[in-house]
Amino acid sequence: MYSTDPVPRTDPAARPTGTPPAGRSRAGRRPPAVLLIPAAVAAVFALLPLGYLAVRSLERGPAFAWDVIANERTAQLLGRSLGLAAVVVTASLLLGVSLAWLTVRTALPGARAWSVLVTLPLAVPSYVAAFAWLSAFPDLAGFTGAALALTLVSFPYVYLPVTAALRGTDPAQEEVSRSLGHGPLRTFLRVTVPQVRPAAAGGAVLVALYVFSDFGAVSLMRYDTFTRGIYTSYRASFDRTPAAALSVVLVAMTIVLVAVEARTRGRAGHARTGTGTARPAVPTPLGRWRAPALAWCTAVTAAAVLTPLATLGYWLAVGNSATWDPARLLEPAGTTLGVAAAGAALTTLLALPVGVIAARHRGRTAHLLEQSAYAGHALPGITVALSLVFFAVRYAEPLYQELPLLVCAYAVLFLPVAVAGTRAAVLQSPPVLEDVARSLGRSPLSVLREVTVPLAAPGVAAGAALTFVVCMKELPATLLLRPTGMDTLATLLWTETGTGSFAAAAPYAAALILLAAIPSYLLGRHRA
């Protein structure tokens, strides 16, 4: 059985002597140094851009910074960003939770295939999705188009963790609810939803942060948000203070968002506390809802994947084949894969201790470390890039315009993606196993190496794959920090799109989607 109670109902006599009850054992104890020290390093690393913002935003005095923040234009950008995030998060929760339930808990025809297909939007960059919809329907420009494009590329951030939670949850509680006369809808709302709430909330936070930090889609859709306002401010003047002040507001929004998510998550967990192996759920027959369910899956897949592919196919067909050589794609494709792999490796390494602490420990220290890890994700890539340029020029000049600086930018930007995956994976493993290992004399490092990491390894690997995908698609930081002469598929795509050469941009977009589709496919197959 899985429990959402603060204290799992386990038999005290079944625990080894001196072992605290599972689920509460870490509530009043500080994380061990083997986790705390590397987690603190990761937090400091993620907070580095905030140091830059503090210096820049106060460079002309607090009064000037406050005038920028209290400006009517800032309030307008705040309302636009929050409104866009609210719509995209709501739509992503609807899409992600419904598709997860259909593919995991029901007798949906071709469920395994649908599980793969609905993860493929991860391979589509937001600016490619925006370009595809805008070229097909020019009237979508503005809020509607931005919300549509961002929803279709970000709902898998909800689908993947909810799917993992549904597969890791024993169906016995749902069966008991049904045996007591509760219908499928009431069982879903009162039993299933509370069990997947932590996973859905974590995915919703990632979606909101993705919206806050997105630059490509809102720029192409010509919808002003904080990111576009910050970019315009940077381009309009050599004075970086107004843009830094706007970025501070964006960080404050992130901190509030993560705090709210942590509060709604509460003390609930969803690890199994009973013995034995969880039985797979008996698929719920769809009956007369079979056709609507298939239509729903088809519509989402068509909108999120087929439309961008069809648009790119059109531009490839109408473009002059002499304008591009397939061999020219090899070098930027290899560079894209190499840089993304390095970014994913560093990000996962930094996220591991933070994710374990967030899942296993309570208190101010754990919350502070987790919130710190999320701070950089809401910042536009250009802000993170400029902060690292500022740091490199002043304190580490050999790193300026070198590959390690770009890899560090990826880690700052996408640390929450890996932290969320690690935390969800650790929550799925019973904490009592770690308690038993400690009662047998294992050190915290041994427990982490021999129990926690092996149990959470599939989820951590899935988080690393997801991080790899988003690193491949990142644009502003790559444009600013890439070494001289180095091009990725994203930078070449943006260069051609900026000049209106859509036919020339199509091959780079198609190659980027193809490469990103491979780990996205593996993620979907892993969940299937």
Side-chain angles (χ1 to χ4, degrees), residues 363-379:
R364 294 181 180 178
T365 300
H367 288 312
L368 179 61
L369 290 172
E370 186 177 9
Q371 290 177 7
S372 298
Y374 278 83
H377 193 60
L379 291 174

mmCIF file of all heavy atoms in Angstrom, residues 363-379:
data_model
loop_
_atom_site.group_PDB
_atom_site.id
_atom_site.type_symbol
_atom_site.label_atom_id
_atom_site.label_comp_id
_atom_site.label_asym_id
_atom_site.label_seq_id
_atom_site.Cartn_x
_atom_site.Cartn_y
_atom_site.Cartn_z
ATOM 1 N N GLY A 363 12.448 20.973 6.850
ATOM 2 C CA GLY A 363 13.058 22.071 7.577
ATOM 3 C C GLY A 363 13.555 23.170 6.663
ATOM 4 O O GLY A 363 13.507 23.091 5.429
ATOM 5 N N ARG A 364 14.046 24.231 7.305
ATOM 6 C CA ARG A 364 14.460 25.408 6.551
ATOM 7 C C ARG A 364 15.631 25.137 5.617
ATOM 8 O O ARG A 364 15.696 25.656 4.504
ATOM 9 C CB ARG A 364 14.829 26.523 7.529
ATOM 10 C CG ARG A 364 13.643 27.036 8.345
ATOM 11 C CD ARG A 364 14.085 28.156 9.277
ATOM 12 N NE ARG A 364 12.958 28.647 10.056
ATOM 13 C CZ ARG A 364 13.062 29.604 10.972
ATOM 14 N NH1 ARG A 364 14.251 30.155 11.227
ATOM 15 N NH2 ARG A 364 11.997 30.000 11.633
ATOM 16 N N THR A 365 16.577 24.333 6.084
ATOM 17 C CA THR A 365 17.748 24.069 5.245
ATOM 18 C C THR A 365 17.359 23.387 3.944
ATOM 19 O O THR A 365 17.799 23.783 2.856
ATOM 20 C CB THR A 365 18.761 23.200 6.009
ATOM 21 O OG1 THR A 365 19.177 23.881 7.195
ATOM 22 C CG2 THR A 365 19.979 22.910 5.147
ATOM 23 N N ALA A 366 16.509 22.368 4.050
ATOM 24 C CA ALA A 366 16.080 21.644 2.850
ATOM 25 C C ALA A 366 15.313 22.565 1.906
ATOM 26 O O ALA A 366 15.534 22.564 0.689
ATOM 27 C CB ALA A 366 15.223 20.445 3.239
ATOM 28 N N HIS A 367 14.396 23.370 2.467
ATOM 29 C CA HIS A 367 13.620 24.277 1.618
ATOM 30 C C HIS A 367 14.511 25.328 0.974
ATOM 31 O O HIS A 367 14.332 25.678 -0.201
ATOM 32 C CB HIS A 367 12.522 24.958 2.449
ATOM 33 C CG HIS A 367 11.396 24.048 2.823
ATOM 34 N ND1 HIS A 367 10.773 23.225 1.904
ATOM 35 C CD2 HIS A 367 10.763 23.828 4.006
ATOM 36 C CE1 HIS A 367 9.816 22.528 2.503
ATOM 37 N NE2 HIS A 367 9.798 22.881 3.780
ATOM 38 N N LEU A 368 15.473 25.836 1.721
ATOM 39 C CA LEU A 368 16.368 26.858 1.188
ATOM 40 C C LEU A 368 17.203 26.305 0.036
ATOM 41 O O LEU A 368 17.369 26.959 -1.006
ATOM 42 C CB LEU A 368 17.277 27.391 2.297
ATOM 43 C CG LEU A 368 18.297 28.464 1.876
ATOM 44 C CD1 LEU A 368 17.579 29.688 1.337
ATOM 45 C CD2 LEU A 368 19.194 28.835 3.049
ATOM 46 N N LEU A 369 17.730 25.096 0.206
ATOM 47 C CA LEU A 369 18.539 24.492 -0.852
ATOM 48 C C LEU A 369 17.709 24.248 -2.112
ATOM 49 O O LEU A 369 18.163 24.515 -3.235
ATOM 50 C CB LEU A 369 19.146 23.181 -0.356
ATOM 51 C CG LEU A 369 20.246 23.303 0.705
ATOM 52 C CD1 LEU A 369 20.611 21.927 1.242
ATOM 53 C CD2 LEU A 369 21.480 23.994 0.120
ATOM 54 N N GLU A 370 16.488 23.757 -1.934
ATOM 55 C CA GLU A 370 15.646 23.475 -3.091
ATOM 56 C C GLU A 370 15.252 24.772 -3.804
ATOM 57 O O GLU A 370 15.301 24.852 -5.033
ATOM 58 C CB GLU A 370 14.396 22.714 -2.661
ATOM 59 C CG GLU A 370 13.545 22.248 -3.831
ATOM 60 C CD GLU A 370 12.343 21.434 -3.392
ATOM 61 O OE1 GLU A 370 12.074 21.370 -2.174
ATOM 62 O OE2 GLU A 370 11.663 20.890 -4.269
ATOM 63 N N GLN A 371 14.867 25.780 -3.040
ATOM 64 C CA GLN A 371 14.492 27.047 -3.648
ATOM 65 C C GLN A 371 15.682 27.698 -4.355
ATOM 66 O O GLN A 371 15.532 28.311 -5.413
ATOM 67 C CB GLN A 371 13.931 27.986 -2.583
ATOM 68 C CG GLN A 371 12.573 27.544 -2.050
ATOM 69 C CD GLN A 371 12.066 28.455 -0.944
ATOM 70 O OE1 GLN A 371 12.672 29.488 -0.668
ATOM 71 N NE2 GLN A 371 10.973 28.071 -0.318
ATOM 72 N N SER A 372 16.864 27.564 -3.774
ATOM 73 C CA SER A 372 18.052 28.121 -4.412
ATOM 74 C C SER A 372 18.307 27.459 -5.761
ATOM 75 O O SER A 372 18.703 28.122 -6.729
ATOM 76 C CB SER A 372 19.277 27.935 -3.506
ATOM 77 O OG SER A 372 19.113 28.619 -2.277
ATOM 78 N N ALA A 373 18.088 26.154 -5.829
ATOM 79 C CA ALA A 373 18.314 25.442 -7.090
ATOM 80 C C ALA A 373 17.372 25.929 -8.184
ATOM 81 O O ALA A 373 17.719 25.906 -9.371
ATOM 82 C CB ALA A 373 18.134 23.943 -6.880
ATOM 83 N N TYR A 374 16.169 26.371 -7.804
ATOM 84 C CA TYR A 374 15.188 26.819 -8.782
ATOM 85 C C TYR A 374 15.406 28.267 -9.220
ATOM 86 O O TYR A 374 14.789 28.717 -10.184
ATOM 87 C CB TYR A 374 13.769 26.688 -8.214
ATOM 88 C CG TYR A 374 13.187 25.304 -8.327
ATOM 89 C CD1 TYR A 374 13.487 24.322 -7.391
ATOM 90 C CD2 TYR A 374 12.342 24.965 -9.364
ATOM 91 C CE1 TYR A 374 12.957 23.050 -7.481
ATOM 92 C CE2 TYR A 374 11.806 23.696 -9.473
ATOM 93 C CZ TYR A 374 12.115 22.740 -8.530
ATOM 94 O OH TYR A 374 11.600 21.481 -8.630
ATOM 95 N N ALA A 375 16.251 29.011 -8.514
ATOM 96 C CA ALA A 375 16.359 30.455 -8.749
ATOM 97 C C ALA A 375 16.772 30.786 -10.173
ATOM 98 O O ALA A 375 16.231 31.703 -10.799
ATOM 99 C CB ALA A 375 17.337 31.073 -7.764
ATOM 100 N N GLY A 376 17.747 30.063 -10.723
ATOM 101 C CA GLY A 376 18.261 30.409 -12.034
ATOM 102 C C GLY A 376 17.366 30.023 -13.180
ATOM 103 O O GLY A 376 17.505 30.556 -14.284
ATOM 104 N N HIS A 377 16.406 29.110 -12.942
ATOM 105 C CA HIS A 377 15.604 28.580 -14.039
ATOM 106 C C HIS A 377 14.633 29.619 -14.590
ATOM 107 O O HIS A 377 14.260 29.561 -15.765
ATOM 108 C CB HIS A 377 14.841 27.343 -13.570
ATOM 109 C CG HIS A 377 14.240 26.547 -14.699
ATOM 110 N ND1 HIS A 377 14.996 25.992 -15.693
ATOM 111 C CD2 HIS A 377 12.963 26.238 -15.002
ATOM 112 C CE1 HIS A 377 14.215 25.344 -16.544
ATOM 113 N NE2 HIS A 377 12.971 25.494 -16.155
ATOM 114 N N ALA A 378 14.181 30.554 -13.746
ATOM 115 C CA ALA A 378 13.234 31.562 -14.214
ATOM 116 C C ALA A 378 13.927 32.719 -14.903
ATOM 117 O O ALA A 378 13.270 33.542 -15.526
ATOM 118 C CB ALA A 378 12.401 32.086 -13.046
ATOM 119 N N LEU A 379 15.243 32.804 -14.761
ATOM 120 C CA LEU A 379 15.970 33.889 -15.412
ATOM 121 C C LEU A 379 16.079 33.622 -16.907
ATOM 122 O O LEU A 379 16.307 32.484 -17.323
ATOM 123 C CB LEU A 379 17.373 34.022 -14.825
ATOM 124 C CG LEU A 379 17.462 34.535 -13.390
ATOM 125 C CD1 LEU A 379 18.907 34.474 -12.920
ATOM 126 C CD2 LEU A 379 16.930 35.943 -13.286
#
